[in-house]
Amino acid sequence: MTGPPPNPHGSEQRPVEQVLHEAGFPVDLLTEEQRLVLGDLTPQELTLLLDVKNRLDAVGPEVQAHGEIAGGALF
């Protein structure tokens, strides 16, 4: 992904929380403090976070299998 999804409402940026939710992040499970941190992400940081998630999702079954065996989680 080259950046956050385009905003259909013109030049206004969509809230980071909405972009992350649409990308599959469980933002509803985060604390208010965690949401504030995510809300302060720069566009470049958001793009990087979405890119990392896309790459993790691409190898999802392998990563999930290791997590279940090791008992760990990334997010």
Side-chain angles (χ1 to χ4, degrees), residues 1 4-5 9-10 20 22-23 28 32 37-38 47 49 55-57 59-60 65 70 72 75:
M1 179 171 232
H9 302 292
L20 292 174
E22 290 172 0
D28 55 322
E32 184 62 29
V37 170
L38 290 175
T47 298
L49 184 58
R55 288 188 272 161
L56 288 171
D57 288 348
V59 294
F75 287 111

Side-chain angles (χ1 to χ4, degrees), residues 5-15:
N7 182 2
H9 302 292
S11 62
E12 274 184 46
Q13 291 185 349
R14 293 184 307 154

Side-chain angles (χ1 to χ4, degrees), residues 12-34:
E12 274 184 46
Q13 291 185 349
R14 293 184 307 154
V16 171
E17 188 174 323
Q18 179 184 354
V19 173
L20 292 174
H21 176 74
E22 290 172 0
F25 283 89
V27 292
D28 55 322
L29 300 178
L30 300 176
T31 66
E32 184 62 29
E33 291 81 9
Q34 291 170 323

